[in-house]
Amino acid sequence: ERRASTMEAARDAAMAQRDAATERIENEAEESRKELDAARAAAAKAHREAQKLTVALDESRRAAADALTRVESLTERLETAEADYAYAERLTEEAVKELETERARFELEGEKRARREKEFMREAEQTASRRWEAQTQDEVEDLRAQVTSLRAGKERA
């Protein structure tokens, strides 16, 4: 009987240890499940944030491409304006040469007529030159400012 009682006590102790170990394992499993759920939630949140960043990156790339296209367009316009300005300068120089030739011819016809024509030609030359220079210089400066602004915006992007 004593032996049976000892065996029963050993069995009860083993069962108590098993129950304690089972409870500990179940608690650890529950903690692991909670940690896994938290990790899954964090991974899902990180995935959503990554998607948002990808969308923002794509939008930034499109904006940069649009800005580059605009810069290229403005650069072309600037080159055209500069070419127009150079052409206007050449026309002005040619006009000046022609006016000087005309003035020399009129000077031969008489001093009085020469003074009158000289004044007329000088005013016409100055007016034409100022007008062309003002028009083309303003255009060139505006286009340069736009190109500089777009280039600065592109560099920031």
Side-chain angles (χ1 to χ4, degrees):
E1 206 177 288
R2 185 175 174 118
R3 192 172 172 205
S5 160
T6 304
M7 287 180 81
E8 210 175 288
R11 184 186 56 134
D12 288 345
M15 295 279 277
Q17 283 180 345
R18 185 196 69 190
D19 289 345
T22 300
E23 185 176 336
R24 189 180 70 248
I25 290 171
E26 286 173 351
N27 288 340
E28 287 175 2
E30 180 63 21
E31 281 299 313
S32 294
R33 186 191 60 73
K34 288 178 182 177
E35 289 174 5
L36 180 60
D37 288 345
R40 283 181 180 148
K45 182 179 179 182
H47 180 71
R48 286 189 302 274
E49 289 300 317
Q51 286 177 327
K52 288 178 186 176
L53 291 173
T54 300
V55 168
L57 178 62
D58 289 344
E59 289 173 358
S60 293
R61 285 180 177 155
R62 277 192 297 277
D66 291 345
L68 181 60
T69 300
R70 180 82 172 132
V71 165
E72 289 169 353
S73 171
L74 289 173
T75 299
E76 287 176 19
R77 287 178 57 194
L78 175 62
E79 290 169 355
T80 300
E82 287 174 340
D84 290 347
Y85 182 76
Y87 178 70
E89 281 184 330
R90 193 180 80 226
L91 286 178
T92 301
E93 289 171 5
E94 289 174 5
V96 168
K97 288 177 185 175
E98 283 184 41
L99 292 173
E100 288 174 352
T101 301
E102 285 293 316
R103 186 178 57 212
R105 190 175 354 157
F106 282 113
E107 284 177 356
L108 291 175
E109 295 175 5
E111 186 178 334
K112 184 177 180 182
R113 184 173 173 190
R115 273 185 262 137
R116 190 174 67 230
E117 289 297 322
K118 183 177 178 181
E119 184 63 27
F120 171 76
M121 293 300 181
R122 187 178 62 76
E123 288 176 12
E125 175 186 328
Q126 288 175 351
T127 302
S129 179
R130 279 193 303 266
R131 185 172 5 119
W132 275 102
E133 285 182 21
Q135 287 174 347
T136 25
Q137 189 61 36
D138 288 347
E139 261 187 61
V140 168
E141 287 174 14
D142 288 345
L143 289 173
R144 281 186 179 148
Q146 288 178 10
V147 167
T148 301
S149 172
L150 286 173
R151 283 183 181 156
K154 175 184 168 191
E155 289 174 5
R156 280 186 243 134

